[in-house]
């Protein structure tokens, strides 16, 4: 399953997770033709680094599975890949049918005209760095290889439901409304007329039938009003199924099932509001990384991570620095976490010839696929990029515009480390800063003065662009090698990490303009062994509050105390 619940009752859908044939592609000309022979197998989804001998394999590989199709050419096969790391090229019966670059957004390939019977699905997967990739590069997190998120095969009628994007709005007397934009696509050559119904919380909207041109697409909007529903919040994460059905005459021929939560997120002056109530975000940056699974983390391990975050007194996760597996977002919806989701970019070369194309795609796909998650309350872009360079400002403008035109309902931000040189703060709804005075500055006593100085600069003059806006401290932390304990509390000891997190949380969680603080980072993660990152001890980013196996470091209890104190719920244990 792509999600944590069934997304179709009418459309036939079948998981393609399971054993796939697998072979490295050292000798294969680039994605030319799938090979005949495969010498191993891999249980998809998986990162191939989990296979003995392939722990550091960076390159290409083929994966293959057999699929059985029912019916004839009135149905198209739709292959949905929730994530292939980092580039996938798809072949059906040896013929190239599609592909996608970037590990972190879902994508699909629609193949009409396949006859009933058995077919071969082969995927050429590439996780190599090079000129073809602006965003995947040696970095402070690992780029794994493989089909790392679930795969599904669906059968589509000629006109099918491509997407249903829902935006909740609070109305009078505690009632809610929901605007649902439904996108219909037609893979056949003939124009066809279809009706649509949308149902949520027992209310149904029936839309007039529309004609969808051959090989074309049409969008219609359903407005459901006067909904008597429980709003969504972290304390009470109520969710409702949103069922969209496609009708040919009176006959249902396709459907999409998603979930929505009723909440509005607004920025008002220095505050961030959820359903009119002031919100303070307390949480973590979390990478999709696990020593046993790479970035192909099973749902059970995701749940365990979120349970740790709950225990730590957190209500917030930043999905640094890329869109996350939708099953994780589903869990955040269900368990009541606020999420900052960010398109894929951590300190990248903005002059790379592929940069604009790839970051635009990552941003568009993120908002398009993840639009309905109530947990997502902030869209983020461009972590620690060149927001201080006038010649790069247009990237910030363009990306923030892309988001706003696709989804005007959520605030947008970017995490800057440019301090008082930043030139793009006026473009963001929320000012977000990464602050490492306690670590890279090695200046524990300087944490508060440095932050005060930044806030003074920010608020001193409207030309800064951030004056009077809400502020999130989107990263702060310190490295600690698990088990390195010393009374002298030197850098890299678990003790020093405690001191840094204690002080930073004290300063940020008690500042009136700070609406959120996200510790860097949840767990220790693998980094690429290339370039500067090779200098990281254990070739890991060791700033986790839990180690890579999620074993708590000394700082765990410090963070926990600070998080509970911040909401007046610290009872000494
Ligand atoms: C940056 C960056 C993170 C991580 C962190 C660190 O702020 O955004 O991805 O690299 O620093 O550990 O230095």
């Amino acid at each position: 399953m792509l999600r944590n619940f069934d997304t179709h009752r009418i459309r036939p859908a079948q998981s393609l997770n399971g054993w796939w044939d697998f072979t490295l592609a050292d000798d294969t000309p680039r994605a030319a033709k799938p090979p005949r022979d495969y010498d191993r197998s891999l249980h998809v989804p998986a990162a191939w680094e989990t296979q003995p001998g392939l722990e550091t394999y960076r390159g290409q590989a083929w994966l293959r599975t057999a699929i059985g199709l029912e019916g004839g050419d009135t149905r198209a096969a739709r292959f949905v890949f929730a994530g292939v790391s980092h580039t996938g090229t798809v072949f059906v019966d040896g013929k190239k049918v599609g592909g996608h670059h970037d590990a972190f957004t879902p994508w699909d390939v629609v193949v009409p005209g396949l006859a009933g019977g058995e077919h071969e699905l082969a995927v050429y997967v590439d996780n190599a760095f090079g000129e073809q990739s602006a965003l995947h590069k040696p970095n402070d997190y690992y780029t794994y290889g493989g089909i790392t998120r679930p795969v599904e095969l669906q059968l589509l009628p000629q006109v099918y439901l491509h997407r249903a994007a829902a935006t909740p709005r609070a109305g009078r007397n505690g009632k809610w409304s929901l605007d649902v934009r439904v996108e219909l696509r037609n893979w056949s050559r003939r124009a066809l007329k279809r009706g649509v119904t949308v149902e949520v919380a027992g209310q149904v909207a029936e839309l007039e039938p529309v004609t969808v041109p051959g090989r074309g697409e049409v969008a219609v909007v359903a407005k459901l009003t006067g909904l008597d529903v429980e709003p969504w919040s972290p304390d009470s994460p109520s969710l409702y199924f949103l069922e969209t059905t496609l009708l040919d005459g009176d006959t249902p021929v396709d459907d999409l099932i998603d979930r929505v939560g009723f909440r509005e997120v607004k920025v008002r002056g220095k505050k961030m509001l959820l359903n009119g109530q002031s919100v303070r975000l307390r949480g973590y940056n979390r990478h999709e990384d696990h020593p046993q699974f790479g970035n192909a983390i099973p749902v059970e391990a995701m749940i365990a991570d979120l349970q740790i975050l709950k225990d730590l007194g957190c209500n917030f996760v930043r999905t640094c620095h890329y869109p996350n597996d939708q099953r994780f977002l589903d869990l955040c919806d269900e368990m009541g976490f606020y999420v900052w989701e960010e398109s894929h970019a951590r300190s990248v070369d903005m002059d790379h010839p592929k940069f604009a194309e790839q970051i635009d795609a990552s941003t568009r796909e993120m908002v398009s696929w993840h639009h309905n998650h109530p947990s997502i309350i902030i869209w983020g872009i461009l972590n620690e990029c060149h927001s201080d360079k006038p010649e790069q400002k247009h990237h910030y403008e363009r990306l923030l515009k892309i988001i706003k035109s696709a989804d005007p309902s959520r605030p947008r931000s970017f995490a800057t480390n440019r301090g008082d040189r930043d030139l793009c703060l006026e473009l963001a709804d929320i000012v977000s800063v990464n602050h490492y005075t306690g670590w890279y500055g090695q200046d524990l006593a300087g944490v508060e003065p440095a932050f005060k100085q930044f806030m003074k600069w920010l608020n001193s003059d409207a030309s800064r662009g951030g004056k009077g806006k809400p502020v999130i401290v989107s990263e702060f932390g310190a490295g600690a090698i698990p088990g390195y304990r010393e009374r002298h509390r030197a850098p890299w000891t678990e003790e020093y990490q405690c001191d840094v997190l204690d002080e930073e949380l004290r300063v940020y969680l008690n500042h009136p303009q700070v609406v959120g603080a996200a510790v860097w980072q949840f767990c220790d993660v693998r980094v690429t062994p290339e370039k500067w990152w090779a200098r990281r001890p254990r070739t890991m980013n060791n700033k986790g509050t839990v180690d890579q196996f999620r074993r708590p470091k000394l700082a765990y209890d410090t963070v926990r105390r600070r998080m509970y104190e911040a909401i007046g719920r610290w009872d000494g244990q």
Side-chain angles (χ1 to χ4, degrees):
M1 285 211 295
L2 301 169
R3 306 285 300 274
N4 294 344
F5 53 90
D6 287 327
T7 46
H8 303 281
R9 242 193 298 270
I10 298 169
R11 179 186 299 182
Q14 158 196 349
S15 168
L16 296 182
N17 295 351
W19 289 108
W20 287 48
D21 299 325
F22 173 53
T23 191
L24 302 185
D26 296 354
D27 305 317
T28 322
R30 281 188 83 79
K33 205 169 182 303
R36 252 192 235 151
D37 300 322
Y38 289 73
D39 55 357
R40 350 173 166 213
S41 46
L42 197 59
H43 201 272
V44 166
W48 60 52
E49 288 81 357
T50 55
Q51 302 302 295
L54 297 184
E55 293 86 350
T56 56
Y57 180 69
R58 186 163 298 291
Q60 300 77 36
W62 287 96
L63 284 127
R64 172 180 73 179
T65 190
I67 51 164
L69 282 190
E70 280 173 21
D73 52 13
T74 56
R75 299 256 164 184
R78 178 182 189 231
F79 300 98
V80 187
F81 295 88
V84 175
S85 186
H86 59 56
T87 298
T89 313
V90 182
F91 296 77
V92 173
D93 300 331
K95 201 174 143 232
K96 188 164 152 182
V97 291
H100 179 264
H101 171 75
D102 203 303
F104 303 118
T105 35
W107 49 286
D108 66 353
V109 180
V110 175
V111 188
L114 285 182
E118 189 157 302
H119 297 272
E120 181 198 76
L121 171 68
V123 186
Y124 182 75
V125 182
D126 186 355
N127 76 338
F129 298 138
E131 281 168 14
Q132 74 287 2
S133 178
L135 311 177
H136 283 285
K137 57 167 198 135
N139 217 328
D140 210 6
Y141 57 95
Y142 203 82
T143 287
Y144 290 93
I147 299 177
T148 50
R149 293 180 186 164
V151 192
E152 195 165 277
L153 165 63
Q154 303 171 356
L155 294 181
L156 302 177
Q158 289 157 319
V159 174
Y160 63 97
L161 294 166
H162 171 63
R163 185 171 169 256
T167 306
R169 286 182 218 290
R172 284 162 195 267
N173 312 326
K175 299 272 169 53
W176 286 78
S177 64
L178 194 71
D179 293 353
V180 187
R181 181 188 151 90
V182 184
E183 294 167 12
L184 288 69
R185 284 193 179 169
N186 183 352
W187 58 258
S188 80
R189 285 175 204 280
R190 278 196 308 140
L192 294 165
K193 205 170 196 182
R194 295 288 183 265
V196 171
T197 64
V198 178
E199 180 171 357
V200 75
Q203 260 208 46
V204 185
E206 277 180 42
L207 300 181
E208 283 299 307
V210 283
T211 300
V212 190
R215 300 266 160 96
E217 129 166 27
V218 157
V220 291
V221 177
K223 285 184 184 293
L224 293 115
T225 52
L227 296 167
D228 196 5
V229 288
E230 289 286 319
W232 184 95
S233 73
D235 288 337
S236 173
S238 306
L239 297 170
Y240 292 84
F241 283 107
L242 169 71
E243 301 201 24
T244 310
T245 307
L246 187 75
L247 300 167
D248 180 358
D250 288 335
T251 314
V253 287
D254 194 23
D255 66 341
L256 286 182
I257 303 171
D258 203 345
R259 280 191 320 204
V260 291
F262 290 84
R263 54 104 192 92
E264 279 184 327
V265 193
K266 296 212 163 112
V267 166
R268 287 285 176 269
K270 293 179 188 165
K271 290 197 185 317
M272 186 171 170
L273 307 177
L274 184 97
N275 297 337
Q277 303 286 317
S278 174
V279 166
R280 298 200 92 182
L281 311 170
R282 306 176 314 275
Y284 271 88
N285 290 274
R286 174 184 175 273
H287 267 301
E288 290 182 321
D289 195 84
H290 193 289
Q292 286 177 295
F293 311 111
N295 64 343
I297 303 181
V299 165
E300 291 74 9
M302 295 178 189
I303 295 172
D305 283 359
L306 287 168
Q307 282 169 337
I308 291 173
L309 287 169
K310 280 267 175 205
D311 182 58
L312 280 163
C314 297
N315 62 5
F316 177 49
V317 182
R318 174 171 172 232
T319 71
C320 48
H321 302 296
Y322 40 78
N324 274 24
D325 190 318
Q326 246 186 306
R327 297 171 302 165
F328 182 76
L329 300 172
D330 282 338
L331 291 170
C332 291
D333 295 341
E334 288 163 19
M335 293 172 72
F337 280 93
Y338 294 118
V339 174
W340 159 327
E341 187 161 64
E342 176 163 311
S343 54
H344 182 204
R346 182 203 169 278
S347 306
V348 289
D349 170 10
M350 301 174 99
D351 291 322
H352 190 292
K354 294 267 181 193
F355 170 70
E357 173 196 328
Q358 293 180 353
I359 189 61
D360 287 11
S362 173
T363 307
R364 282 207 172 89
E365 290 167 4
M366 168 180 81
V367 180
S368 171
W369 285 86
H370 297 172
H371 187 281
N372 293 344
H373 290 281
S375 56
I376 299 176
I377 48 143
I378 296 168
W379 295 122
I381 55 162
L382 301 179
N383 175 73
E384 296 194 351
C385 291
H386 291 293
S387 47
D388 54 338
K389 296 240 165 85
E391 69 275 18
Q392 306 294 6
K393 193 168 179 178
H394 67 104
H395 290 300
Y396 286 81
E397 282 163 350
R398 188 185 68 258
L399 289 168
L400 292 170
K401 236 185 236 164
I402 287 176
I403 294 176
K404 194 159 194 170
S405 61
D407 175 22
S409 76
R410 290 166 168 103
R412 302 149 304 152
S413 195
F414 61 90
T416 175
N417 63 342
R418 307 290 145 148
D420 59 10
R421 288 173 291 120
D422 203 293
L423 300 173
C424 296
L425 298 176
E426 55 166 308
L427 304 171
D429 303 310
I430 297 169
V431 171
S432 300
V433 286
N434 295 349
H435 237 257
Y436 283 95
T437 315
W439 181 244
Y440 294 115
Q442 294 293 322
D443 181 9
L444 205 47
V447 168
E448 186 163 25
F451 187 64
K452 277 193 171 156
Q453 199 182 322
F454 173 78
M455 293 301 290
K456 195 169 162 205
W457 169 83
L458 185 75
N459 289 314
S460 60
D461 186 333
S463 70
R464 315 283 188 233
K467 187 175 178 179
K469 287 186 178 175
V471 172
I472 292 178
V473 189
S474 34
E475 289 182 31
F476 52 95
I481 305 295
Y484 178 31
R485 302 279 299 275
E486 289 290 354
R487 295 188 71 200
H488 57 57
R489 312 181 86 83
W492 297 112
T493 60
E494 292 195 28
E495 285 84 353
Y496 186 68
Q497 185 188 39
C498 275
D499 296 346
V500 171
L501 292 181
D502 194 29
E503 176 62 357
E504 305 234 23
L505 286 167
R506 180 188 75 78
V507 173
Y508 309 140
L509 292 178
N510 295 306
H511 193 288
Q513 201 172 338
V514 172
V515 298
V519 177
W520 186 270
Q521 62 177 330
F522 173 63
C523 65
D524 292 347
V525 303
R526 200 171 161 185
V527 303
T528 50
E530 294 96 344
K531 304 216 170 156
W532 192 85
W533 314 112
R535 287 195 236 155
R536 291 242 186 264
R538 312 191 299 151
T539 47
M540 300 195 80
N541 185 309
N542 295 290
K543 298 188 190 72
T545 298
V546 297
D547 76 3
Q548 67 272 31
F549 288 103
R550 280 57 175 169
R551 294 173 295 206
K553 297 183 192 170
L554 206 57
Y556 189 101
D557 290 323
T558 306
V559 172
R560 199 166 169 272
R561 172 176 50 78
R562 282 283 178 212
M563 295 289 185
Y564 279 106
E565 273 173 1
I567 48 172
R569 280 176 40 197
W570 176 245
D571 60 2
Q573 20 197 322

